[in-house]
Amino acid sequence: MHRNHKPAPAVRTARLASRALLATAAALVGCERGSSDGADETATGPSGCPAVHARAQDAVTRAERTETPWGGPTGGPAAVSGKTIVYVAQTMTNPGVAGAAKGVREAARVIGWDVRVIDGGGTPAGIQAAMSEAVALRPAGIVIGGFDPDSTASQAARANAQGIPLIGWHAVPEPGPSRQPDLFTNVTTRVQDVARISAQWIISDSDGRAGVVVITDASIPFARNKSDLIRKELAACSGVKLLSVENIPIPDASTRTPREISSLLSRFQDRWTHSVAINDLYFADAAPAFRAAGEKGSGPPFNIGAGDGDPSAFQRINSEQYQAATVPEPLTLQGWQIVDEFNRAFAGHPASGYTAPTHIATEGNSEGATTWDPSGYQEAYRKIWGK
């Protein structure tokens, strides 16, 4: 039941057992859920959903591995020389966007290209101006860094008309090529996989007996879809009870999250054992409220972020400060992949079709790192490019 699947300390086991018993009897809020299968079964007894729990444990064990073989491309075109690409960033204050840009710059130095980053500043007008500037530069390729291409439809259409390939990073929900909008490919993990493993971590960590709060931003279709998928996966375990779904718009997170956390602690008390948020940033804003209520940084509640895995999330996890896990994007790898995908486009090859697998980072497997940077990809891409 320990987050690293080792026997839990007796105190934590007893605390979780108490919370799980209360969670079993809790009324559901905001989601349909199966009935309890026995209030006499504690967190130290049989799982609340044995078959689902066993599958979740297996999936989590795989996702927590840090040494996995490279599963991406091993062949492709040699480096095309003399290219300039522009990375249009939704905002460079977004750690995910900035991390992917860093990877693009790093890979471009290896392959021998120039990169220019234009910051959209996080506003619709700023992003449109940044895209207009990018197209006007007539680069070999443009990265759509973390924003919906439809928000810059006229600029994207001009780029398409000029034969400038567009590659997205988290630009549309699914990885791979896109026709509408017209992207050579989109680099991202699969939202279904991220949602599933986040929920499975809760099922595994709680032995199938948890009282869960889900935090989302329902104004963003991608985020709402992710939280709906999380809820669906949690619902597979009858011993897991959904206490609340909190809709907190990301722009309001810093002001609203502390208030909502205080209210949730008052409402649910020991029934609340786990939380999952569509982005790690909510737990940065939640920490002061947890601290003010006297909750221990090591939990419960045990919190997992189903998004990005920025350095501050790793810092909270490594210091056991109100976050236990994250499902991080391999941002530097994705930057290298973007450069490789452009190289394929310039050489007239199709996209590679690679999608990075999901990973779970915890205090036990991150070894003090502040990013998720798997091994093998740099050597593979250098070999492909002849660099």
Side-chain angles (χ1 to χ4, degrees), residues 244-257:
S244 180
V245 176
E246 295 297 312
N247 174 29
I248 304 175
I250 287 176
D252 301 335
S254 60
T255 55
R256 281 193 52 188
T257 304

Side-chain angles (χ1 to χ4, degrees), residues 86 88-89 118-121 124-136 147 155:
V86 175
V88 179
I118 304 177
D119 191 346
I127 292 167
Q128 288 172 6
M131 269 296 285
S132 293
E133 183 180 351
V135 175
F147 60 90
Q155 293 91 340

Side-chain angles (χ1 to χ4, degrees), residues 214-302:
V214 176
I215 305 174
T216 190
D217 182 346
S219 69
I220 302 173
F222 181 83
R224 185 175 63 247
N225 179 47
K226 184 190 289 187
S227 58
D228 287 347
L229 290 167
I230 289 169
R231 290 170 60 177
K232 181 179 179 181
E233 189 68 28
L234 290 171
C237 180
S238 61
V240 170
K241 305 304 177 186
L242 183 64
L243 301 177
S244 180
V245 176
E246 295 297 312
N247 174 29
I248 304 175
I250 287 176
D252 301 335
S254 60
T255 55
R256 281 193 52 188
T257 304
R259 294 199 306 267
E260 298 298 339
I261 294 298
S262 296
S263 175
L264 290 164
L265 286 168
S266 177
R267 285 168 60 195
F268 299 118
Q269 301 181 40
D270 284 352
R271 286 180 286 162
W272 181 9
T273 69
H274 290 76
S275 316
V276 54
I278 54 95
N279 193 294
D280 292 301
L281 64 85
Y282 289 105
F283 297 125
D285 298 319
F290 283 127
R291 194 173 291 114
E295 298 289 336
K296 291 184 178 180
S298 57
F302 303 102

Side-chain angles (χ1 to χ4, degrees), residues 65-84:
R65 291 174 184 159
T66 56
E67 294 298 328
T68 56
W70 169 242
T74 55
V80 177
S81 62
K83 299 297 182 179
T84 297

